[in-house]
Amino acid sequence: MQTRINKKIESPLPVNELLDRADRGDAECQYWAGIRYLQADGVTEDLEKAYRYCSAAAEQGHPRAQAFLGYCLSKGIAVPQQPRLSVQWYRRSAKQGYAPAQYSLGLYYLQGRGVKKNIRQAIHWLDLAARQGDPDAQLRLGQIYHQGAETVQDDGRAYPYFLAAAEQGVAEAQYLVATLLGQGSGVDADQIEAFYWLDRAAVQEYGPAVETRERFDAFTLFEPAEAELGPIPLDHAVPLRHRTIVVMQFLGRPCLQQMAKDIHDFVTLHPKNAAVGYRDIAALLAVANRDGEALLPFAGDTQLLSPAELDVDEGGLDLFWVVKHYPCEWDGQKFPVAIWAVITKEEREQGEDATRMDTLVSWGRDYIRQLQTSGEGIDAGRLEREANEVRQKYESNPVPFSPAEMVLAKETFQLLDGVLSGTTDYKKYRITLNVVTATRWGVPACPEPSVAIAHGRPRENASRGLTPDIGFARLKDGDVRVITVGPVPGTDLVQVVTLEDYEPEGHPVDSFLWRYSLLHIPAAAFRPDRRTFKWELLWLKTHFFWTASLVERQGTARSMVAVWQSQSLSEGHGADVTATEHPLPEALESTDDAVLEHVRHWQANPLPFTPEEMDLLHGILSLDDDFTINDARLILAAYRWGRLANENFKEFFPELQLKGKVQRVSQGGGLQFPAKGLINVSSGPIPSLAVDRNPNSGRLLVVSIEDSSQVQHRNQAIQIPALSLFEIEDCLFIAGLEDTACAGNA
């Protein structure tokens, strides 16, 4: 938006007529009057008038004026910077189909400015703008998929966006098209087309393109015999451009006319070599004329080779397995266990951290289970020594993904891409890596004999064609969602990896299956099911428990609400700490010893989630927003254990004062919980989630899910933090507004 607003925009009417119509309420003229005052076009520059005129047009629904207000509020033109209000105006304009506003709104979501960062929403709005031919949106979408920082790196998706922007003259896009064509990344390699786009970008003086063209146009001595491209009528090294060598290697044959042109250009620059150079030119052109060679490889009708014939690597990332530490605690002893992790070649070279998987190195799991069943004590020292040894071993010798595992990863990601709803590409990438890791390193789990029940008659070769597929494994006490990863060699069984926890009621924890467990089941026990589903809802088969965690803040011990799930409780892993303080019993003084004793009590006696809390968890995860399981647990903790924040803010916002029982619900009596919306206080709206109603007062219980904007009150900056619990009148809650943020970054 900024790059366009600074360009001179010509208004369609003379100044006097334009201002007259604007003052009489014509929205189109109000917009152009604002542009005139912004650009000092026929009038004296007046940013306040520019804002006022465009504000009047925007209130009438003028999409370009709405986008202009979004720009002013973003940059602080005539008004203070207000990113959240800027988002609202951009959204109004974008919903009317105005491409520049869609582009700007996409950037806000991409950067997390004024809204919570949301790559899915960013791609949605950028794609709408790109489909309308917006070159900036096309370039940015290409960058998202090319760089892979916010989603899975995919040059196949990036290339069409880069090409669309390049065709509109965007120099950076032209350079990136040349790069992908030259590398054969996401598109069939074509060095001739690559140089065409490189030249177009360089003509516009795009820095990287100019530098690259200079490198390719540099001359080097070329030995014909070393190229292995067939007979060339020269027996000595000749000066050729680097780009000519690249094209010859790409085509797999000499380009005699281009070689002649290069020699001609070289001897023009270096006349002392002219005699030998012209003899070489004559020899090359004679053979080219005899063989009927096309004039130039850049313009001739040349049959190019396919990427497969050129041995172009289309495998994408180079992936490796290494080992990381995973913290555990039993009987008061803390120690690490070894767990698999995945890292790319580029990440290793840049010293970045590997991505932890959910599959333990086998020795760690076997040893821990042996200790659990035998009742022996934990040898924390031995565990830590062995974990260090394993990590060091794979740090120096990482295990590369095999070609078959790369194929499995690619097919699994494509499968997940088609069935997962509201899930980012990065999360699909993480799930994919976990599935492949479990396939390679997981030990087949057998929680109970005959855990898999084969319904119907076994099919001949039933395991074929099941790699990968998604569906359900029929187990003894219910179905569990799985992905098939191939047959078990030499048997009629199929290997599957679970995508959710399997925790049947009435069974010991040791018999549970956690997600990413490897199972061998009869082929007939697998039921394919490719219906769309939401990944976060798979957590609802997990057992959750309330506990407490000790946190030190400013030298004082604090008890914080934490959540254990059955897997972490069973394996001795730490609980997930929330942002809500765990209240001490009124009888206890808030001393460090009392807090420590309180935490120990809760860790020894975790409290299961109630059915009502599980229903609320389900409701939060089912909302249209991309709420994660972590978001839901944070919100649930604030509701279940948080103290009402009304008292903290009633001095600044009188509407938050509690005044007796509500006799009659003013509005929204049929509100279904949870409900997205806004708390409408004098400081401005606060994105929130209504989770319940106080049965005694009749008021709504609402949890804020985003920090409010700071407001000044008596020279004091006031901000309502996310995950604050309020009890409010119905009239203060505005339900059903779109794009309220999640609490995940609180």
Side-chain angles (χ1 to χ4, degrees):
M1 188 69 183
Q2 183 179 9
T3 58
R4 298 170 195 162
I5 205 72
N6 290 332
K7 294 179 180 179
K8 190 72 173 179
I9 304 175
E10 298 292 338
S11 56
L13 295 174
V15 175
N16 291 338
E17 182 179 356
L18 183 72
L19 295 178
D20 181 64
R21 291 190 182 185
D23 291 336
R24 286 187 279 122
D26 186 310
E28 181 73 6
C29 291
Q30 288 171 338
Y31 166 71
W32 284 111
I35 296 299
R36 286 262 192 175
Y37 278 111
L38 174 72
Q39 299 181 337
D41 181 14
V43 295
T44 302
E45 180 182 276
D46 192 327
L47 299 182
E48 292 183 1
K49 284 187 178 181
Y51 185 85
R52 187 166 66 249
Y53 273 116
C54 282
S55 180
E59 293 291 352
Q60 296 189 64
H62 193 286
R64 284 177 292 175
Q66 291 170 338
F68 176 83
L69 288 194
Y71 173 76
C72 290
L73 290 162
S74 170
K75 301 298 179 184
I77 297 176
V79 292
Q81 286 187 339
Q82 300 179 62
R84 290 175 59 190
L85 190 56
S86 173
V87 168
Q88 295 180 22
W89 283 112
Y90 275 139
R91 182 178 287 113
R92 290 188 187 184
S93 178
K95 286 184 175 180
Q96 295 192 65
Y98 188 45
Q102 293 170 338
Y103 167 70
S104 297
L105 185 57
L107 288 188
Y108 269 77
Y109 276 112
L110 185 65
Q111 299 164 358
R113 185 165 182 257
V115 291
K116 183 187 174 183
K117 187 172 183 178
N118 188 324
I119 187 63
R120 180 172 59 88
Q121 285 287 331
I123 290 176
H124 168 73
W125 289 110
L126 289 172
D127 185 62
L128 289 179
R131 290 173 184 270
Q132 295 191 66
D134 188 291
D136 293 336
Q138 292 164 345
L139 174 62
R140 186 55 65 98
L141 275 171
Q143 291 170 332
I144 288 173
Y145 288 115
H146 175 58
Q147 295 168 357
E150 305 290 347
T151 185
V152 173
Q153 199 275 344
D154 189 342
D155 283 339
R157 290 188 178 186
Y159 179 78
Y161 289 115
F162 285 150
L163 182 60
E167 290 174 342
Q168 296 194 66
V170 179
E172 183 178 357
Q174 293 169 342
Y175 172 74
L176 290 166
V177 166
T179 300
L180 297 186
L181 284 166
Q183 297 172 349
S185 180
V187 62
D188 288 350
D190 189 336
Q191 303 297 341
I192 296 172
E193 188 74 6
F195 283 125
Y196 165 78
W197 286 110
L198 179 67
D199 289 340
R200 290 189 61 177
V203 166
Q204 298 192 63
E205 298 183 349
Y206 180 65
V210 172
E211 294 175 6
T212 303
R213 186 172 68 170
E214 288 175 352
R215 186 170 68 251
F216 277 110
D217 282 349
F219 289 95
T220 185
L221 283 177
F222 176 71
E223 291 286 349
E226 295 175 0
E228 299 180 354
L229 299 177
I232 296 176
L234 300 174
D235 57 5
H236 59 275
V238 293
L240 298 177
R241 287 186 172 91
H242 183 51
R243 74 161 66 197
T244 300
I245 299 171
V246 171
V247 169
M248 290 168 56
Q249 292 172 342
F250 172 73
L251 295 177
R253 62 174 179 79
C255 304
L256 303 182
Q257 295 230 18
Q258 184 61 35
M259 293 172 66
K261 181 178 184 301
D262 281 2
I263 297 173
H264 175 272
D265 293 343
F266 182 83
V267 298
T268 300
L269 296 172
H270 304 87
K272 66 179 182 178
N273 299 312
V276 175
Y278 283 121
R279 286 198 298 271
D280 290 340
I281 291 171
L284 291 169
L285 291 179
V287 175
N289 181 65
R290 183 194 67 195
D291 296 339
E293 182 185 288
L295 179 61
L296 288 174
F298 304 99
D301 184 17
T302 307
Q303 182 64 41
L304 303 182
L305 301 178
S306 69
E309 292 171 299
L310 290 169
D311 193 27
V312 174
D313 180 15
E314 295 181 337
L317 296 173
D318 292 325
L319 299 174
F320 299 85
W321 277 292
V322 292
V323 169
K324 294 184 71 172
H325 284 175
Y326 189 41
C328 288
E329 181 176 356
W330 261 297
D331 298 329
Q333 297 189 73
K334 296 181 179 180
F335 55 90
V337 295
I339 196 164
W340 291 109
V342 175
I343 192 168
T344 68
K345 180 180 179 181
E346 183 178 0
E347 288 170 341
R348 288 192 69 218
E349 292 173 346
Q350 295 179 359
E352 297 181 17
D353 199 18
T355 302
R356 182 180 65 80
M357 299 291 102
D358 287 287
T359 299
L360 289 170
V361 177
S362 60
W363 72 265
R365 176 181 49 234
D366 293 344
Y367 178 64
I368 292 171
R369 286 184 175 175
Q370 178 184 350
L371 293 176
Q372 284 182 300
T373 55
S374 66
E376 297 178 30
I378 296 293
D379 186 347
R382 173 189 166 186
L383 280 169
E384 185 165 1
R385 286 193 303 273
E386 294 183 348
N388 286 330
E389 290 173 1
V390 174
R391 184 174 66 175
Q392 291 170 6
K393 171 185 175 182
Y394 288 99
E395 186 175 334
S396 57
N397 295 287
V399 179
F401 279 42
S402 69
E405 287 160 346
M406 291 299 296
V407 170
L408 175 61
K410 179 180 179 181
E411 293 179 350
T412 299
F413 181 85
Q414 291 172 343
L415 177 65
L416 293 171
D417 195 39
V419 298
L420 285 181
S421 171
T423 303
T424 64
D425 283 351
Y426 177 70
K427 184 168 289 185
K428 295 171 196 169
Y429 173 68
R430 289 285 301 268
I431 299 168
T432 297
L433 295 182
N434 266 298
V435 169
V436 181
T437 301
T439 305
R440 172 69 180 269
W441 303 104
V443 176
C446 293
E448 288 188 11
S450 305
V451 68
I453 306 300
H455 295 271
R457 298 175 60 185
R459 295 167 293 175
E460 183 177 0
N461 296 326
S463 63
R464 294 183 182 177
L466 294 177
T467 307
D469 201 357
I470 197 165
F472 293 92
R474 297 185 175 185
L475 305 184
K476 185 175 181 180
D477 289 281
D479 291 355
V480 60
R481 192 179 288 273
V482 298
I483 281 186
T484 61
V485 292
V488 180
T491 73
D492 292 329
L493 300 177
V494 175
Q495 295 186 87
V496 300
V497 175
T498 61
L499 295 181
E500 61 184 338
D501 294 342
Y502 176 73
E503 303 179 358
E505 295 292 340
H507 289 252
V509 173
D510 289 345
S511 71
F512 289 178
L513 294 175
W514 318 120
R515 63 181 61 200
Y516 308 124
S517 294
L518 181 65
L519 286 178
H520 293 173
I521 66 172
F526 172 70
R527 173 168 56 87
D529 187 327
R530 293 199 177 193
R531 287 176 296 181
T532 300
F533 66 97
K534 191 173 181 181
W535 173 254
E536 296 297 328
L537 290 177
L538 295 185
W539 286 100
L540 294 176
K541 289 187 178 180
T542 301
H543 296 166
F544 293 103
F545 303 83
W546 296 114
T547 184
S549 183
L550 187 66
V551 175
E552 183 176 327
R553 291 185 177 174
Q554 298 179 342
T556 302
R558 304 282 288 276
S559 171
M560 304 300 293
V561 176
V563 177
W564 254 325
Q565 63 191 70
S566 45
Q567 179 180 6
S568 59
L569 187 61
S570 169
E571 296 184 351
H573 303 154
D576 295 309
V577 182
T578 71
T580 302
E581 188 164 355
H582 203 301
L584 270 66
E586 294 182 0
L588 289 179
E589 296 183 12
S590 185
T591 64
D592 287 357
D593 289 341
V595 171
L596 179 58
E597 185 60 32
H598 177 72
V599 170
R600 286 175 176 171
H601 169 78
W602 274 94
Q603 290 182 348
N605 301 279
L607 183 68
F609 277 29
T610 66
E612 293 76 17
E613 288 166 344
M614 289 302 297
D615 288 343
L616 181 56
L617 190 70
H618 180 276
I620 295 172
L621 294 178
S622 299
L623 290 172
D624 293 336
D625 287 291
D626 191 21
F627 283 98
T628 67
I629 185 64
N630 187 53
D631 296 330
R633 288 187 296 215
L634 290 170
I635 294 168
L636 205 60
Y639 160 62
R640 173 69 171 79
W641 301 98
R643 296 172 179 171
L644 285 180
N646 297 67
E647 286 294 317
N648 300 338
F649 299 100
K650 68 179 183 180
E651 177 185 352
F652 313 107
F653 313 114
E655 57 268 39
L656 292 177
Q657 294 187 43
L658 303 179
K659 300 177 180 179
K661 184 176 181 179
V662 177
Q663 298 298 324
R664 177 174 172 271
V665 177
S666 56
Q667 66 175 12
L671 196 64
Q672 298 295 314
F673 302 114
K676 295 181 299 179
L678 302 170
I679 301 176
N680 190 22
V681 294
S682 54
S683 65
I686 305 171
S688 306
L689 204 66
V691 293
D692 202 353
R693 189 179 295 280
N694 186 327
N696 297 318
S697 68
R699 297 186 183 89
L700 293 177
L701 293 174
V702 182
V703 176
S704 62
I705 54 178
E706 183 179 327
D707 292 338
S708 70
S709 298
Q710 285 194 357
V711 295
Q712 294 294 324
H713 181 85
R714 299 176 184 174
N715 297 323
Q716 183 179 0
I718 305 299
Q719 184 179 49
I720 298 177
L723 301 172
S724 298
L725 177 65
F726 291 95
E727 183 177 320
I728 63 173
E729 307 283 358
D730 284 64
C731 60
L732 291 182
F733 185 71
I734 307 173
L737 296 187
E738 296 181 359
D739 296 322
T740 53
C742 299
N745 288 337

